[in-house]
Amino acid sequence: MKLSLDSLKNTSAWGEIKLPRYDVEKVTENTHKSPVWLHFGAGNIFRGFIASLQQSLLDQGLSKTGIIAADTFDYEIIDKIFRAHDNLTVSASLLPDGSVESEVIASVCEALKADITDEAEMARFYEIAKSPSLQMISFTITEKGYAVKNTQGELTPLVVSDITEGPEHARHAMSFVTELMLERYKAGKLPVALVSMDNCSHNGEKLKSSVMTIANGWVENGFADKGFVDYLNDESVVGFPWSMIDKITPRPSEKVEAILSEAGLEEMSPIITSKKTFIAPFVNAEKPQYLVIEDSFPNSRPALEKAGVYMTDRDTVNNVERMKVTTCLNPLHTALAVYGCLLGYTLICEEMKDEDLVKLVRKLGYDEGLPVVTDPGILSPKAFIDEVINERLPNPFMPDAPQRIATDTSQKVGIRFGETIKSYEANGDVEKLTAVPLAIAGWLRYLLGVDDNGEAMEISSDPLKDELKAHLTGIELGKPETVGDKLDSILSNSEIFGTDLVRNGLSKKITEIFLKEVSGTGAVRATLKEYLG
């Protein structure tokens, strides 16, 4: 039995795997004629969470259309994962007791490649962009997908090229989306919401800033009239709602693949694309999930609240996001990621059996984070951390790896630690921080590419990896005297941390910890014990 629309017709063959309760072909037809929802970023968090929300609405009879998925980065995902399986996905929830709940997600009705050189694909994108029915364009493209500037605040060469060459040559994800918005503007200034669902602070603001950068560049270069910028700035016509998302979706599990194969499903093995994306026809994820969205949709929206989404105001979204991203989960994840790599762990759940690492995340969350976080009202920060530390991170059936979490850390530390640092800085209390400096020092130690046993280890991909490693050149394990002032050029970079750690004095403790951690083999473990008691 293959994952296909034809196979869905034989309902009895699927056993306990939950199937769609609606007419998939009819929904697909409706979606093609009257697109409502276009989504960029066709990875695991989209397939295992966002697409399941629309599936819920379709199952309840609350919607008649599905989602059109697009990818701006890895076109092989579209060909080998979506189109190869009629846009279907198997979503598997991993429960703490070891059981798995599986469901076929059929709410993705079309999959496209955001390739400016493909005339057929672009014709369809333009058709969607001009459709009055389109209510939202959403994104899960990771935080780096919105970056149009480098760490020095300068436009990247790709963005400069997009701005100078014009919309028809747009290659950056933000340029591509801005081009679609230009088409929508020309079609009659049609309303729509652009919704970032990425795991980053003030995501709606980041999205708008990037789009406006491109749009202003095109106006200055004569590719669009000033009315285009006015259109994008009119919140009654174009919304950029903020959101907070939370659901852990690790890389495909061999256990889940085996379970699905035993159930009779064929061709479930993961693939590795030429762009190094590790992806499978199924998604495995934890059961807990949270999505909070600012209710700013000028052209109406799906009834997302009926699928468990918190629809609220911007201040509440911001408070929930700060709670989660700066205090209750993300900082803990990043600390576990870098120290897990240094100490030889390959699973987050195994790290939660390590007394020193548990002390680290508890101090990071409860002792240093909770005192400065704002209670959003709709979710309790204390209860959220309790669930993270006691249930989610230790879940032995969540095969999440510190090496995956360590990806793109330079793009995350400014929010995951910088916001807490700024709160303490405002009160003149940065010297009270211990877990935060430990986490940052651990990240810098990780960037040396040598574990606590003195063995070489691979550093996960990061857009600033080469630049950061260059700053650390010459530092040798066992020779702390080689450090000198090499850390200052990194720690003073407010583009990375959101604040200058040299100026506010926190760099002293970070450097002190780093010097101890490079003093020899076993020094990382010894330093954790020293500072955490």
Short mmCIF file of all heavy atoms in Angstrom, two decimals, residues 36-37 134-138 191-197 235-243 291-305 309-312:
data_model
loop_
_atom_site.label_atom_id
_atom_site.label_comp_id
_atom_site.label_asym_id
_atom_site.label_seq_id
_atom_site.Cartn_x
_atom_site.Cartn_y
_atom_site.Cartn_z
N VAL A 36 -7.37 30.01 -0.93
CA VAL A 36 -7.57 30.79 0.30
C VAL A 36 -6.26 30.94 1.07
O VAL A 36 -5.99 31.98 1.66
CB VAL A 36 -8.64 30.13 1.19
CG1 VAL A 36 -8.68 30.77 2.58
CG2 VAL A 36 -10.01 30.20 0.52
N TRP A 37 -5.42 29.90 1.04
CA TRP A 37 -4.25 29.85 1.91
C TRP A 37 -3.04 29.36 1.13
O TRP A 37 -3.01 28.22 0.65
CB TRP A 37 -4.55 28.93 3.09
CG TRP A 37 -3.54 28.88 4.19
CD1 TRP A 37 -2.26 29.36 4.18
CD2 TRP A 37 -3.72 28.30 5.49
NE1 TRP A 37 -1.64 29.11 5.38
CE2 TRP A 37 -2.52 28.47 6.21
CE3 TRP A 37 -4.79 27.65 6.10
CZ2 TRP A 37 -2.35 28.00 7.50
CZ3 TRP A 37 -4.63 27.18 7.40
CH2 TRP A 37 -3.43 27.36 8.10
N LEU A 134 -7.97 34.80 -1.93
CA LEU A 134 -6.79 34.54 -1.09
C LEU A 134 -6.86 35.36 0.20
O LEU A 134 -6.92 36.58 0.17
CB LEU A 134 -5.51 34.89 -1.86
CG LEU A 134 -4.19 34.52 -1.16
CD1 LEU A 134 -4.04 33.00 -1.05
CD2 LEU A 134 -2.99 35.11 -1.93
N GLN A 135 -6.82 34.65 1.32
CA GLN A 135 -6.94 35.31 2.62
C GLN A 135 -5.61 35.44 3.34
O GLN A 135 -5.40 36.40 4.09
CB GLN A 135 -7.92 34.53 3.51
CG GLN A 135 -9.34 34.50 2.98
CD GLN A 135 -10.27 33.69 3.86
OE1 GLN A 135 -9.84 32.93 4.74
NE2 GLN A 135 -11.57 33.82 3.63
N MET A 136 -4.74 34.46 3.15
CA MET A 136 -3.48 34.51 3.90
C MET A 136 -2.34 33.85 3.15
O MET A 136 -2.54 32.89 2.40
CB MET A 136 -3.65 33.87 5.28
CG MET A 136 -3.99 32.39 5.25
SD MET A 136 -4.39 31.71 6.89
CE MET A 136 -2.86 31.91 7.74
N ILE A 137 -1.15 34.41 3.36
CA ILE A 137 0.11 33.81 2.92
C ILE A 137 0.93 33.62 4.18
O ILE A 137 1.27 34.58 4.86
CB ILE A 137 0.86 34.71 1.93
CG1 ILE A 137 -0.01 35.03 0.71
CG2 ILE A 137 2.17 34.04 1.50
CD1 ILE A 137 0.63 36.02 -0.25
N SER A 138 1.21 32.37 4.52
CA SER A 138 1.91 32.10 5.78
C SER A 138 3.30 31.54 5.50
O SER A 138 3.63 31.14 4.38
CB SER A 138 1.10 31.16 6.66
OG SER A 138 0.80 29.95 5.98
N PRO A 191 -6.93 42.79 -0.54
CA PRO A 191 -6.51 42.57 0.85
C PRO A 191 -5.98 41.16 1.08
O PRO A 191 -6.36 40.21 0.38
CB PRO A 191 -7.80 42.80 1.64
CG PRO A 191 -8.89 42.42 0.67
CD PRO A 191 -8.40 42.85 -0.68
N VAL A 192 -5.11 41.02 2.08
CA VAL A 192 -4.54 39.72 2.43
C VAL A 192 -3.76 39.87 3.73
O VAL A 192 -3.40 40.99 4.11
CB VAL A 192 -3.61 39.19 1.31
CG1 VAL A 192 -2.31 39.97 1.26
CG2 VAL A 192 -3.34 37.69 1.45
N ALA A 193 -3.50 38.76 4.40
CA ALA A 193 -2.63 38.75 5.58
C ALA A 193 -1.38 37.94 5.28
O ALA A 193 -1.47 36.85 4.73
CB ALA A 193 -3.36 38.16 6.78
N LEU A 194 -0.21 38.49 5.63
CA LEU A 194 1.05 37.78 5.53
C LEU A 194 1.44 37.36 6.94
O LEU A 194 1.71 38.21 7.79
CB LEU A 194 2.14 38.66 4.91
CG LEU A 194 2.19 38.72 3.38
CD1 LEU A 194 0.93 39.31 2.80
CD2 LEU A 194 3.41 39.52 2.91
N VAL A 195 1.44 36.04 7.18
CA VAL A 195 1.53 35.53 8.55
C VAL A 195 2.79 34.69 8.75
O VAL A 195 2.86 33.56 8.27
CB VAL A 195 0.29 34.68 8.90
CG1 VAL A 195 0.26 34.37 10.40
CG2 VAL A 195 -1.00 35.36 8.46
N SER A 196 3.76 35.23 9.45
CA SER A 196 4.91 34.43 9.82
C SER A 196 4.52 33.50 10.96
O SER A 196 3.99 33.94 11.98
CB SER A 196 6.08 35.31 10.26
OG SER A 196 7.11 34.50 10.81
N MET A 197 4.78 32.22 10.78
CA MET A 197 4.54 31.24 11.83
C MET A 197 5.87 30.62 12.27
O MET A 197 5.92 29.51 12.78
CB MET A 197 3.58 30.15 11.34
CG MET A 197 2.19 30.69 11.02
SD MET A 197 1.08 29.40 10.42
CE MET A 197 -0.44 30.33 10.22
N GLU A 235 -2.58 48.75 7.15
CA GLU A 235 -2.94 47.55 7.91
C GLU A 235 -4.39 47.12 7.70
O GLU A 235 -4.75 45.99 8.02
CB GLU A 235 -2.68 47.78 9.41
CG GLU A 235 -1.20 47.93 9.74
CD GLU A 235 -0.95 48.03 11.23
OE1 GLU A 235 -1.93 47.98 12.01
OE2 GLU A 235 0.22 48.16 11.63
N SER A 236 -5.23 48.02 7.18
CA SER A 236 -6.61 47.63 6.90
C SER A 236 -6.70 46.81 5.61
O SER A 236 -7.74 46.20 5.33
CB SER A 236 -7.49 48.88 6.78
OG SER A 236 -7.17 49.62 5.62
N VAL A 237 -5.61 46.78 4.85
CA VAL A 237 -5.59 46.05 3.58
C VAL A 237 -4.59 44.89 3.62
O VAL A 237 -4.88 43.79 3.16
CB VAL A 237 -5.25 47.00 2.40
CG1 VAL A 237 -5.28 46.22 1.08
CG2 VAL A 237 -6.23 48.15 2.35
N VAL A 238 -3.40 45.14 4.17
CA VAL A 238 -2.37 44.11 4.27
C VAL A 238 -1.98 43.94 5.74
O VAL A 238 -1.44 44.87 6.35
CB VAL A 238 -1.14 44.46 3.43
CG1 VAL A 238 -0.08 43.35 3.57
CG2 VAL A 238 -1.51 44.65 1.97
N GLY A 239 -2.28 42.79 6.29
CA GLY A 239 -1.94 42.51 7.68
C GLY A 239 -0.63 41.74 7.79
O GLY A 239 -0.32 40.91 6.94
N PHE A 240 0.13 42.05 8.82
CA PHE A 240 1.35 41.30 9.16
C PHE A 240 1.23 40.85 10.61
O PHE A 240 1.98 41.29 11.49
CB PHE A 240 2.59 42.18 8.99
CG PHE A 240 2.95 42.50 7.57
CD1 PHE A 240 2.40 43.61 6.94
CD2 PHE A 240 3.82 41.69 6.86
CE1 PHE A 240 2.74 43.92 5.62
CE2 PHE A 240 4.17 42.00 5.54
CZ PHE A 240 3.61 43.11 4.92
N PRO A 241 0.27 39.97 10.90
CA PRO A 241 0.07 39.56 12.29
C PRO A 241 1.28 38.85 12.89
O PRO A 241 2.00 38.14 12.18
CB PRO A 241 -1.14 38.62 12.21
CG PRO A 241 -1.21 38.19 10.79
CD PRO A 241 -0.67 39.31 9.98
N TRP A 242 1.48 39.05 14.17
CA TRP A 242 2.53 38.36 14.90
C TRP A 242 1.98 37.01 15.37
O TRP A 242 0.76 36.83 15.55
CB TRP A 242 2.98 39.17 16.11
CG TRP A 242 3.62 40.48 15.78
CD1 TRP A 242 3.61 41.13 14.58
CD2 TRP A 242 4.36 41.31 16.69
NE1 TRP A 242 4.30 42.31 14.68
CE2 TRP A 242 4.77 42.45 15.96
CE3 TRP A 242 4.71 41.20 18.03
CZ2 TRP A 242 5.52 43.48 16.54
CZ3 TRP A 242 5.45 42.22 18.60
CH2 TRP A 242 5.86 43.34 17.87
N SER A 243 2.88 36.07 15.62
CA SER A 243 2.43 34.77 16.10
C SER A 243 3.49 34.13 16.99
O SER A 243 4.65 34.55 17.00
CB SER A 243 2.11 33.83 14.93
OG SER A 243 3.30 33.39 14.30
N LEU A 291 -0.15 27.40 19.12
CA LEU A 291 -0.05 28.44 18.11
C LEU A 291 -0.94 29.60 18.54
O LEU A 291 -2.14 29.41 18.76
CB LEU A 291 -0.48 27.93 16.73
CG LEU A 291 -0.39 28.93 15.57
CD1 LEU A 291 1.03 29.47 15.42
CD2 LEU A 291 -0.85 28.30 14.26
N VAL A 292 -0.33 30.75 18.69
CA VAL A 292 -1.04 31.97 19.11
C VAL A 292 -0.84 33.00 18.00
O VAL A 292 0.30 33.27 17.62
CB VAL A 292 -0.50 32.50 20.45
CG1 VAL A 292 -1.31 33.69 20.92
CG2 VAL A 292 -0.48 31.40 21.51
N ILE A 293 -1.93 33.55 17.48
CA ILE A 293 -1.83 34.47 16.35
C ILE A 293 -2.61 35.75 16.62
O ILE A 293 -3.74 35.71 17.11
CB ILE A 293 -2.37 33.83 15.05
CG1 ILE A 293 -1.65 32.51 14.74
CG2 ILE A 293 -2.22 34.79 13.87
CD1 ILE A 293 -2.17 31.80 13.50
N GLU A 294 -2.01 36.87 16.27
CA GLU A 294 -2.70 38.15 16.32
C GLU A 294 -3.82 38.14 15.29
O GLU A 294 -3.60 37.82 14.11
CB GLU A 294 -1.71 39.27 16.00
CG GLU A 294 -2.32 40.65 15.94
CD GLU A 294 -1.35 41.70 15.43
OE1 GLU A 294 -0.20 41.34 15.12
OE2 GLU A 294 -1.77 42.87 15.33
N ASP A 295 -5.01 38.48 15.70
CA ASP A 295 -6.17 38.38 14.81
C ASP A 295 -6.27 39.62 13.92
O ASP A 295 -7.10 40.51 14.12
CB ASP A 295 -7.45 38.21 15.64
CG ASP A 295 -8.57 37.57 14.82
OD1 ASP A 295 -8.40 37.43 13.59
OD2 ASP A 295 -9.61 37.22 15.42
N SER A 296 -5.39 39.67 12.90
CA SER A 296 -5.35 40.80 11.98
C SER A 296 -5.36 40.27 10.55
O SER A 296 -4.31 40.07 9.94
CB SER A 296 -4.08 41.64 12.23
OG SER A 296 -3.99 42.71 11.32
N PHE A 297 -6.56 40.02 10.03
CA PHE A 297 -6.74 39.41 8.73
C PHE A 297 -7.72 40.24 7.90
O PHE A 297 -8.94 40.07 8.00
CB PHE A 297 -7.27 37.97 8.88
CG PHE A 297 -6.26 37.02 9.46
CD1 PHE A 297 -5.97 37.02 10.83
CD2 PHE A 297 -5.60 36.11 8.66
CE1 PHE A 297 -5.04 36.14 11.37
CE2 PHE A 297 -4.66 35.22 9.18
CZ PHE A 297 -4.39 35.24 10.55
N PRO A 298 -7.22 41.15 7.07
CA PRO A 298 -8.08 42.07 6.33
C PRO A 298 -9.05 41.42 5.35
O PRO A 298 -10.06 42.03 4.99
CB PRO A 298 -7.08 42.96 5.58
CG PRO A 298 -5.82 42.86 6.38
CD PRO A 298 -5.80 41.47 6.88
N ASN A 299 -8.76 40.20 4.92
CA ASN A 299 -9.63 39.53 3.94
C ASN A 299 -10.30 38.30 4.56
O ASN A 299 -10.57 37.32 3.88
CB ASN A 299 -8.83 39.12 2.70
CG ASN A 299 -9.73 38.86 1.50
OD1 ASN A 299 -10.80 39.46 1.37
ND2 ASN A 299 -9.30 37.98 0.62
N SER A 300 -10.57 38.38 5.88
CA SER A 300 -11.15 37.25 6.63
C SER A 300 -10.09 36.14 6.75
O SER A 300 -8.94 36.31 6.33
CB SER A 300 -12.42 36.74 5.99
OG SER A 300 -13.07 35.83 6.87
N ARG A 301 -10.47 35.00 7.32
CA ARG A 301 -9.51 33.92 7.57
C ARG A 301 -10.24 32.62 7.86
O ARG A 301 -11.44 32.61 8.18
CB ARG A 301 -8.62 34.29 8.77
CG ARG A 301 -9.41 34.49 10.06
CD ARG A 301 -8.50 34.62 11.27
NE ARG A 301 -9.22 34.94 12.49
CZ ARG A 301 -9.94 34.07 13.21
NH1 ARG A 301 -10.03 32.80 12.82
NH2 ARG A 301 -10.56 34.46 14.32
N PRO A 302 -9.53 31.50 7.81
CA PRO A 302 -10.11 30.24 8.27
C PRO A 302 -10.42 30.33 9.76
O PRO A 302 -9.82 31.13 10.49
CB PRO A 302 -9.00 29.22 8.01
CG PRO A 302 -8.13 29.85 6.97
CD PRO A 302 -8.18 31.32 7.24
N ALA A 303 -11.34 29.49 10.23
CA ALA A 303 -11.76 29.50 11.64
C ALA A 303 -10.73 28.77 12.50
O ALA A 303 -11.02 27.73 13.12
CB ALA A 303 -13.14 28.87 11.79
N LEU A 304 -9.52 29.30 12.55
CA LEU A 304 -8.40 28.62 13.20
C LEU A 304 -8.64 28.34 14.68
O LEU A 304 -8.12 27.37 15.23
CB LEU A 304 -7.13 29.43 13.02
CG LEU A 304 -6.64 29.56 11.57
CD1 LEU A 304 -5.53 30.60 11.47
CD2 LEU A 304 -6.15 28.21 11.06
N GLU A 305 -9.43 29.20 15.32
CA GLU A 305 -9.71 28.97 16.74
C GLU A 305 -10.45 27.66 16.96
O GLU A 305 -10.37 27.05 18.03
CB GLU A 305 -10.50 30.14 17.34
CG GLU A 305 -11.93 30.28 16.83
CD GLU A 305 -12.03 31.00 15.49
OE1 GLU A 305 -10.98 31.30 14.90
OE2 GLU A 305 -13.16 31.25 15.04
N VAL A 309 -6.19 26.99 17.80
CA VAL A 309 -5.28 28.14 17.74
C VAL A 309 -5.83 29.25 18.64
O VAL A 309 -7.03 29.51 18.65
CB VAL A 309 -5.13 28.65 16.30
CG1 VAL A 309 -4.21 29.87 16.25
CG2 VAL A 309 -4.60 27.54 15.39
N TYR A 310 -4.95 29.89 19.38
CA TYR A 310 -5.34 31.04 20.19
C TYR A 310 -5.31 32.28 19.29
O TYR A 310 -4.25 32.71 18.85
CB TYR A 310 -4.37 31.26 21.36
CG TYR A 310 -4.35 30.16 22.39
CD1 TYR A 310 -3.51 29.06 22.24
CD2 TYR A 310 -5.13 30.24 23.54
CE1 TYR A 310 -3.46 28.05 23.20
CE2 TYR A 310 -5.08 29.25 24.52
CZ TYR A 310 -4.26 28.16 24.33
OH TYR A 310 -4.21 27.16 25.28
N MET A 311 -6.47 32.86 19.03
CA MET A 311 -6.55 34.10 18.25
C MET A 311 -6.73 35.25 19.23
O MET A 311 -7.69 35.27 20.02
CB MET A 311 -7.72 34.04 17.26
CG MET A 311 -7.68 32.84 16.30
SD MET A 311 -6.17 32.75 15.27
CE MET A 311 -6.24 34.30 14.40
N THR A 312 -5.82 36.22 19.19
CA THR A 312 -5.82 37.23 20.23
C THR A 312 -5.24 38.55 19.70
O THR A 312 -5.19 38.77 18.48
CB THR A 312 -5.02 36.72 21.46
OG1 THR A 312 -5.09 37.67 22.51
CG2 THR A 312 -3.58 36.41 21.10
#
